[in-house]
């Protein structure tokens, strides 16, 4: 994977360096359009989320048969009714905030989303979900390709990555997305003060402005520096944002707080990347106790999303906001010997926002170990996908971002039944 | 103090963490071949670096009470950075870093399970640590002790390493209910890889993962001399043990050869099954080429794929020497590809490489490596905390806007701290902005600057002043221009 990433960037950096040189006036345009433009927040649950613990098919007898110690009891789940297949499902008991959003009709749950021959590797799986290309998952990401289709050069803050590494989803052949984990530390310092510090910033900015075409790797780092200088002052305005609610002090909470700040300040960002980890629950998954690993994962997710949802609603921005959640794979249907679950196949996606048609999409798997079970695969060990994840991307591209999904996804994955947006 | 030995500096940047001016001069004097020898056969050099922690003349560490690098992860990180700056065996530390990335294990998950004291011991306890009886050395010491030993021996030790048994859940892998975490990663990441390229067939199947998990059932963790009822008791020693009662004795057959000659079903039984399987992973025809490509990107050039001739040569050395990494790394460092000037600066500096090289080249008197710990986190590389079992996203992956700002700001912290030392060192070169810049670029070792950015550096030296070389001017400008070089794109390559 890393090898592919390297060769890809090597081939792409020459062009990449051009668009970071966006003229300053574009920032003003972006600012002017800012607060009223649509945002997409891509939320990645890293490690392979055990979707069967997040959206629990408690009405299926197989669920309790295959998971004797880690099933969530029927009495504990937050019931959200029966899906189109007639299976009663419910949210994890700690997802009380998301239950409220669901009840308000602003949360869509897409069960059994995935793709054929699902990879059980974290890294290959992540690359596939990022590129939307299971056969050649080493190129630019689907959001990167979206950014490439916007009128160029685009403003460097069109995308905002809240983690340190650039995820493949945001990778593009010629558009860079700044990594801003914490707006408060996104600043430039100098060993001197006063005018000397000013001269230092001016010189560093000029040094970064050179584009040595014979050394694309150097150009790439220069472009990164340049983007940092071009975004410093606007990001500083986000650091001063006072939210309308208290966000949890988790990484996800801080990231979503910054996202809300950027939206309220109207700095022109269209796509945000947020993620939270710890979902590789091979052992002691324990979804039923307040100190259990999976329970805490759900607490982190729910508290941060509820704070964000409430904050952007208070700010009048809920109708401009769409959160799209995914993970690189679901986990095995059956628990392993250490009260955890190993790597599996199809998972569950969620979409949240003011424009969402909430509800249950797709049907839960029948988890019983019966011959010829069409909803399972690998000897009835894994969930077989029903909705191709690319059709979810297609819907978001076509109906939310107003971008041609068939071009970006290099194929027609549109699914008229997926009416969540 | 001119350096003028590009090849030796290149060697020191790659097989070490760059050189202080004295170190470069010393190696240049003995000649290139002898320098390679000294680096690779590092037992010739004294192993005294830990004893020099806290001794004047070295970079500092910051103590909070007692300095406890065997039981406090913050201190363990400081010790490792100190070793990178001052070890007389730089390649040993460089290979320890390589193996830490290759067998990426993260402290936090272990600390969540056993608490910070035990987790630090599992990651970093030294040989000299006087801890609980029978407590094994930390994982990083395995990497140092086996830095250039047999890859098979290292792989076996890693499979039995307490930190790894927690990290990839081997401690929970038992008969009847196997645990696939280690079994998958040992093939996907530690040896053969999923496949050689996107167009190649997969090297192993899902059934292989399930069978390998059963092979390792019983390879568990034990606690010596259990105290009261508290598994988090910091005085307990955790060590590898094989439990035959937890081993799945059923037959295990793979899609690739386990034995030379083509046997694909494991025939040995018991604990030996795991050893047979690990040896098969080492012998697998894709393991040598995969290591060769990884070493090429680490030591030689990460801007281009490894030439097939290089891969053949280095993987040839791997198989012919029975997986002897000293032969393998020697074949890399003596390769024509390594010494070719096109490989100079053809690698993005990892954050720890950037930090250590900056300290070695700027100076350290009165500076503590503790000041690098938070910046390293912001740059994306906290030692003992890789993001996942695949290690760090290296190369261009290090460079985000936030990560680049963190590099620039660490350079500001370092040069602000060193400004009096920098002024004293620069005094003989204060005649003109040109002489000061020439001296600064010679002292540091960035990729050569083109004339436009070179002129920007000169412009900074001239800004706001008509040059006199006064003490006040030199205090600001020597630190300022050093900061700008360390913060430049040109300095982010090794």
């Amino acid at each position: 994977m890393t090898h592919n990433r390297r060769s890809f960037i090597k081939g792409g950096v020459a062009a990449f360096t051009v668009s970071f040189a966006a003229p300053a006036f574009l920032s003003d345009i972006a600012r002017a359009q800012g607060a009223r433009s649509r945002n997409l927040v891509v939320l990645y649950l890293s490690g392979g989320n055990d979707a069967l613990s997040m959206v629990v098919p408690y009405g299926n007898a197989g669920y309790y048969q295959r998971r004797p110690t880690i099933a969530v009891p029927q009495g504990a789940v937050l019931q959200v009714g029966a899906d189109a297949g007639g299976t009663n499902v419910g949210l994890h008991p700690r997802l009380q905030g998301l239950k409220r959003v669901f009840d308000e009709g602003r949360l869509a749950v897409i069960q059994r989303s995935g793709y054929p021959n699902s990879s059980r590797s974290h890294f290959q799986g992540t690359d596939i979900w990022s590129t939307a290309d299971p056969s050649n998952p080493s190129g630019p990401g689907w959001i990167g390709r979206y950014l490439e289709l916007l009128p160029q050069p685009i403003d460097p803050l069109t995308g905002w990555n809240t983690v340190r590494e650039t995820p493949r989803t945001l990778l593009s052949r010629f558009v860079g997305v700044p990594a801003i984990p914490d707006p408060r530390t996104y600043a430039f310092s100098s060993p001197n003060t006063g005018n000397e510090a000013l001269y230092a910033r001016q010189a560093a900015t000029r040094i970064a402005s050179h584009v040595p075409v014979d050394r694309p790797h150097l150009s790439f780092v220069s472009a990164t520096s340049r983007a940092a200088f071009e975004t410093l002052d606007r990001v500083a305005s986000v650091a001063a944002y006072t939210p309308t609610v208290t966000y949890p002090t988790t990484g996800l909470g801080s990231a979503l707080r910054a996202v809300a700040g950027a939206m309220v300040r109207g700095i022109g960002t269209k796509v945000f990347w947020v993620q939270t980890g710890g979902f590789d629950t091979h052992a002691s998954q324990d979804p039923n106790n307040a100190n259990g690993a999976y329970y805490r994962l759900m607490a982190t997710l729910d508290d941060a999303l509820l704070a964000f949802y409430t904050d952007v609603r208070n700010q009048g921005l809920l109708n401009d906001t769409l959160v799209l959640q995914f993970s690189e794979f679901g986990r095995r249907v059956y628990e392993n010997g250490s009260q955890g679950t190993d790597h599996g196949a199809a998972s569950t996606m969620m979409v949240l926002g003011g424009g969402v048609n909430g509800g249950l999409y797709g049907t839960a798997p029948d988890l019983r170990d019966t011959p010829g079970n069409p909803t399972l695969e690998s000897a009835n060990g894994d969930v077989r996908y029903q909705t191709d994840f690319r059709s979810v991307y297609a819907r978001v591209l076509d109906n939310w971002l107003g971008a041609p999904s068939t071009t970006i996804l290099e194929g027609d994955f549109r699914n008229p039944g997926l009416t969540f947006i | 103090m001119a350096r003028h030995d590009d090849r030796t500096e290149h060697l020191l940047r790659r097989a070490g963490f760059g050189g202080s001016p004295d170190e470069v001069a010393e190696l240049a004097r003995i000649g290139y071949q002898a320098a390679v020898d000294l680096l690779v056969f590092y037992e010739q050099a004294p192993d005294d670096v830990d004893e020099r922690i806290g001794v004047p003349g070295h970079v500092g560490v910051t103590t909070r009470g007692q300095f406890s690098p065997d039981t406090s992860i913050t201190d363990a990180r400081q010790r490792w950075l100190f070793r990178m700056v001052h070890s007389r065996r730089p390649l040993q530390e460089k290979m320890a870093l390589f193996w830490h990335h290759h067998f990426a294990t993260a402290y936090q998950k272990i600390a969540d399970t056993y608490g910070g004291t035990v987790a630090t011991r599992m990651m970093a306890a030294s040989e000299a640590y006087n801890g609980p009886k029978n407590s094994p050395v930390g994982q990083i010491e395995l990497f140092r002790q086996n830095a250039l030993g047999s890859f098979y021996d290292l792989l076996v030790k890693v499979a039995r390493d307490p930190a790894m048994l927690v990290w990839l859940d081997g401690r929970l892998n038992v008969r009847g209910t196997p645990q696939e975490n280690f079994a998958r990663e040992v093939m996907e990441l530690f040896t053969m890889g999923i496949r050689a390229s996107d167009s190649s067939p997969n090297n192993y199947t899902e059934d292989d993962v399930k069978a390998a998990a059963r092979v390792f059932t019983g390879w568990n963790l034990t606690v010596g001399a259990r105290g009261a009822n508290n598994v988090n008791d910091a005085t307990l020693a955790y060590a590898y043990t094989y439990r035959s009662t937890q081993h799945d004795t059923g037959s295990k057959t793979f899609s690739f050869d386990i034995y030379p000659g083509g046997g694909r079903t494991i025939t040995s039984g018991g604990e030996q099954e795991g050893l047979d399987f690990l040896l098969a992973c080492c012998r697998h025809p894709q393991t040598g080429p995969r290591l060769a490509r990884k070493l090429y990107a680490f030591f030689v050039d990460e801007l281009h794929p490894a030439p097939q001739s290089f891969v053949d040569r280095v993987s040839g050395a791997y198989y012919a020497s029975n997986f002897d990494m000293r032969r393998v790394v020697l074949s890399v460092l003596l390769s024509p590809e390594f010494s070719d000037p096109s490989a100079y600066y053809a690698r993005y500096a990892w954050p720890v490489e950037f930090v250590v090289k900056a300290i070695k080249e700027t100076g350290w008197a009165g500076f503590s490596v503790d000041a690098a710990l938070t910046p390293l986190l912001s740059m994306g590389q906290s030692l003992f905390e890789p993001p996942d079992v695949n290690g760090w996203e290296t190369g261009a992956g290090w460079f985000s806007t936030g990560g680049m700002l963190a590099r620039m700001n660490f350079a500001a912290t370092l040069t602000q701290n060193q400004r009096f030392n920098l002024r004293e060192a620069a005094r003989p070169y204060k005649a003109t902005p040109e002489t000061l810049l020439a001296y600064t670029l010679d002292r540091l070792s960035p990729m050569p600057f083109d004339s436009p950015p070179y002129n920007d550096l000169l412009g900074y030296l001239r800004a706001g002043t008509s040059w006199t070389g006064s003490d006040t001017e030199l205090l600001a400008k020597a630190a300022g221009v050093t900061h700008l070089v360390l913060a430049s794109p040109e300095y982010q390559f090794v």
Side-chain angles (χ1 to χ4, degrees):
Chain A
M1 178 185 89
T2 47
H3 171 73
N4 286 333
R5 172 85 54 93
R6 262 193 299 272
S7 12
F8 159 69
I9 285 181
K10 181 200 142 259
V13 284
F16 169 89
T17 58
V18 176
S19 71
F20 257 145
F25 69 86
L26 281 180
S27 320
D28 301 328
I29 295 171
R31 249 195 301 276
Q33 297 172 339
R36 296 257 62 91
S37 68
R38 283 178 169 183
N39 300 285
L40 173 65
V41 181
V42 182
L43 166 61
Y44 167 44
L45 309 182
S46 89
N49 177 30
D50 183 35
L52 294 174
S53 294
M54 181 175 76
V55 181
V56 179
Y58 70 90
N60 181 263
Y63 172 69
Y64 293 99
Q65 291 161 9
R66 310 293 295 276
R67 298 186 161 205
T69 73
I70 64 160
V72 180
Q74 177 172 344
V77 301
L78 307 176
Q79 301 182 5
V80 294
D83 64 25
T87 306
N88 284 317
V89 300
L91 301 181
H92 183 276
R94 187 58 180 76
L95 295 178
Q96 284 152 3
L98 287 181
K99 173 69 162 51
R100 270 167 50 192
V101 179
F102 188 93
D103 290 343
E104 290 174 18
R106 295 293 169 251
L107 177 69
V109 171
I110 304 151
Q111 301 187 94
R112 279 207 284 146
S113 38
Y115 57 98
N117 302 314
S118 184
S119 172
R120 272 76 167 171
S121 156
H122 291 295
F123 313 105
Q124 198 173 41
T126 306
D127 283 351
I128 288 169
W129 281 82
S130 302
T131 57
D133 186 354
S135 64
N136 180 25
S138 57
W142 71 283
I143 292 293
R145 300 198 296 268
Y146 158 72
L147 294 173
E148 289 174 6
L149 283 189
L150 298 175
Q152 303 292 328
I154 63 170
D155 181 86
L157 273 175
T158 304
W160 176 318
N161 166 25
T162 66
V163 299
R164 293 184 178 90
E165 294 181 1
T166 303
R168 184 177 288 279
T169 298
L170 300 181
L171 216 53
S172 140
R173 281 162 295 204
F174 54 84
V175 177
V177 174
I180 311 171
D182 183 352
R184 286 161 297 185
T185 58
Y186 196 81
F188 177 81
S189 56
S190 161
N192 297 304
T193 53
N195 279 343
E196 281 297 322
L198 190 65
Y199 301 145
R201 180 167 168 178
Q202 288 166 346
T205 307
R206 275 197 296 269
I207 289 169
S209 71
H210 297 293
V211 181
V213 289
D214 57 327
R215 286 174 287 176
H217 50 297
L218 182 59
S219 297
F220 171 76
V221 175
S222 299
T224 307
S225 291
R226 206 154 56 239
F229 288 118
E230 283 174 17
T231 49
L232 278 178
D233 296 333
R234 274 186 287 160
V235 172
S237 77
V238 174
Y241 170 63
T242 309
T244 62
V245 298
T246 304
Y247 281 82
T249 56
T250 56
L252 184 61
S254 307
L256 287 172
R257 181 183 190 276
V259 170
M263 290 165 58
V264 171
R265 294 286 185 238
I267 60 172
T269 306
K270 290 181 187 299
V271 182
F272 297 91
W273 172 271
V274 296
Q275 74 180 62
T276 180
F279 284 87
D280 195 18
T281 49
H282 283 278
S284 309
Q285 194 164 316
D286 199 359
N288 292 315
N289 292 298
N291 291 325
Y294 198 83
Y295 194 96
R296 283 185 288 142
L297 291 170
M298 291 296 101
T300 300
L301 183 69
D302 196 65
D303 292 346
L305 279 176
L306 180 64
F308 177 69
Y309 178 86
T310 311
D311 194 21
V312 296
R313 188 178 57 189
N314 293 346
Q315 299 282 8
L317 294 170
L318 188 60
N319 287 336
D320 300 320
T321 304
L322 191 75
V323 179
L324 172 66
Q325 170 267 316
F326 79 100
S327 187
E328 68 263 39
F329 47 65
R331 305 192 77 83
R332 287 266 150 79
V333 165
Y334 54 89
E335 67 183 61
N336 62 25
S338 32
Q339 292 82 51
T341 46
D342 292 320
H343 302 184
S347 188
T348 291
M349 300 172 80
M350 294 200 298
V351 188
L352 174 155
V356 168
N357 302 313
L360 296 170
Y361 294 81
T363 57
D366 174 3
L367 300 176
R368 289 172 301 174
D369 187 8
T370 50
N373 184 336
T375 66
L376 301 181
E377 62 186 41
S378 354
N380 286 346
D382 290 333
V383 176
R384 185 191 295 278
Y385 87 102
Q386 174 186 48
T387 298
D388 194 306
F389 73 99
R390 291 167 288 188
S391 60
V392 178
Y393 290 178
R395 192 81 189 182
V396 170
L397 287 165
D398 291 324
N399 289 33
W400 183 251
L401 294 174
S405 72
T406 51
T407 305
I408 291 169
L409 301 176
E410 290 168 8
D412 188 354
F413 295 99
R414 291 174 296 183
N415 175 350
L418 272 180
T419 52
F420 63 84
I421 191 77
Chain B
M1 65 150 295
R3 290 176 178 248
H4 299 312
D5 192 332
D6 293 345
R7 198 177 174 206
T8 301
E9 288 198 27
H10 170 65
L11 178 67
L12 266 179
R13 283 194 302 271
R14 297 292 174 77
F17 296 87
S20 66
D22 291 349
E23 288 166 342
V24 175
E26 189 181 320
L27 281 199
R29 193 169 55 243
I30 63 175
Y32 186 79
Q33 189 74 38
V36 171
D37 255 29
L38 189 61
L39 288 164
V40 173
F41 297 92
Y42 49 72
E43 290 82 355
Q44 306 168 70
D47 184 18
D48 62 352
V49 62
D50 279 348
E51 298 154 26
R52 291 187 279 134
I53 295 175
V55 174
H58 299 82
V59 72
V61 297
T62 300
T63 57
R64 298 162 178 82
Q66 194 161 12
F67 185 63
S68 308
D70 300 299
T71 54
S72 146
I73 196 68
T74 303
D75 291 356
R77 291 183 175 123
Q78 293 195 71
R79 168 159 69 189
W80 198 4
L81 286 172
F82 182 94
R83 293 181 63 105
M84 290 176 185
V85 174
H86 289 302
S87 174
R88 298 186 218 268
R89 300 173 165 193
L91 182 56
Q92 188 179 22
E93 294 306 317
K94 198 70 182 258
M95 284 306 295
L97 182 62
F98 178 84
W99 294 128
H100 179 40
H101 173 62
H102 184 80
F103 294 110
T105 303
Y107 161 84
Q108 194 56 53
K109 173 171 173 176
I110 303 169
D112 287 347
T113 312
Y114 290 110
T117 302
V118 170
T120 303
R121 283 199 336 238
M122 285 185 179
M123 293 302 289
S126 65
E127 281 179 277
Y129 174 55
N130 188 22
K133 199 172 170 229
N134 299 326
S135 179
V137 296
Q139 189 187 68
I140 193 62
E141 289 295 320
L142 285 187
F143 297 154
R144 287 196 185 109
Q145 291 168 358
N146 300 274
L148 289 179
S150 151
F151 182 72
Y152 170 71
D153 288 350
L154 178 57
L155 189 61
V156 171
K157 285 172 180 167
V158 165
R160 291 169 168 167
D161 170 50
M164 184 61 78
L165 287 163
V166 181
W167 170 238
L168 293 184
D169 302 308
R171 70 191 176 104
L172 304 166
N173 186 21
V174 294
R175 185 175 60 163
T177 45
Q179 234 289 346
E180 296 170 5
N181 205 357
F182 177 76
R184 178 184 304 277
E185 308 304 6
V186 74
M187 292 187 281
E188 176 175 341
L189 299 173
F190 301 163
T191 60
M192 62 194 78
I194 296 182
R195 53 196 183 191
S197 71
D198 283 345
S199 55
S200 313
N202 283 1
N203 291 330
Y204 57 89
T205 64
E206 281 301 305
D207 285 344
D208 290 336
V209 173
K210 291 177 184 175
R214 291 164 49 230
V215 163
F216 289 107
T217 46
W219 286 50
N220 297 150
L221 197 61
T222 187
V223 54
R226 179 181 289 277
N229 290 312
N230 184 1
V231 291
N232 294 322
D233 182 342
T235 67
L236 298 182
Y238 295 85
Y240 165 77
T241 192
Y242 173 72
R243 291 200 181 90
S244 57
T245 54
Q246 291 179 351
H247 184 70
D248 179 331
T249 55
S251 166
K252 295 114 185 163
T253 299
F254 292 85
S255 71
F256 52 88
D257 291 355
I258 296 297
Y259 300 106
R264 297 188 165 195
T265 300
I266 291 199
T267 56
S268 49
E271 189 183 18
Q272 185 63 37
E273 291 186 355
L275 300 175
D276 289 359
F277 177 77
L278 292 175
L279 186 56
C281 287
C282 289
R283 276 203 205 103
H284 191 281
Q286 289 303 329
T287 298
R290 185 158 175 275
L291 281 171
R293 284 190 291 269
K294 212 163 173 178
L295 289 165
Y296 185 84
F298 187 72
F299 282 112
V300 184
D301 176 353
E302 64 182 343
L303 307 178
H304 307 92
Q308 192 58 44
S309 59
F310 177 95
V311 173
D312 292 345
R313 208 177 325 124
V314 172
S315 64
Y318 167 85
Y319 292 116
S321 68
N322 242 338
F323 330 122
D324 179 356
M325 292 308 298
R326 198 179 303 261
R327 288 292 136 200
V328 172
V329 169
L330 203 55
S331 76
V332 171
L333 297 182
L334 293 177
S335 69
E337 291 87 353
F338 179 81
S339 285
D340 193 291
S342 70
Y344 297 177
Y345 301 105
R347 195 165 153 285
Y348 298 87
W350 293 17
V352 291
E353 293 178 314
F354 164 78
V355 160
V356 174
K357 180 168 171 279
I359 292 172
K360 287 173 82 91
E361 294 178 348
T362 304
W364 53 74
F367 189 72
S368 167
V369 287
D370 187 61
L373 297 183
T374 302
L376 276 170
L377 183 65
S378 303
M379 293 175 212
Q381 189 173 35
S382 200
L383 292 170
F384 303 114
E385 205 69 75
D388 55 48
V389 64
N390 196 30
W392 287 279
E393 183 67 42
T394 57
W398 294 119
F399 288 89
S400 62
T401 50
M404 191 65 209
L405 281 171
R407 289 181 186 230
M408 297 186 203
N409 292 337
F410 173 75
T413 302
L414 176 65
T415 50
Q416 201 275 338
N417 174 277
Q418 292 294 303
R419 65 193 193 285
F420 292 104
N421 300 332
L422 287 167
R423 179 178 65 181
E424 292 320 302
R427 213 182 279 285
Y429 310 94
K430 68 175 187 180
T432 64
E434 285 80 358
T435 55
L436 179 61
L437 181 56
Y439 159 74
T440 303
L441 291 175
D442 200 34
R443 180 185 179 101
L444 311 172
S445 63
M447 178 193 288
F449 282 84
D450 286 341
S451 46
Y454 177 88
N455 289 329
D456 291 332
L457 290 168
L458 270 185
Y460 163 75
L461 287 172
R462 293 190 180 119
T465 176
S466 52
W467 190 263
T468 63
S470 73
D471 262 21
T472 313
E473 193 175 65
L474 204 54
L475 186 67
K477 294 294 189 185
V481 76
T482 305
H483 170 235
L484 286 177
V485 173
L486 299 179
S488 68
E490 283 79 356
Y491 196 81
Q492 313 311 318
F493 293 87
V494 292

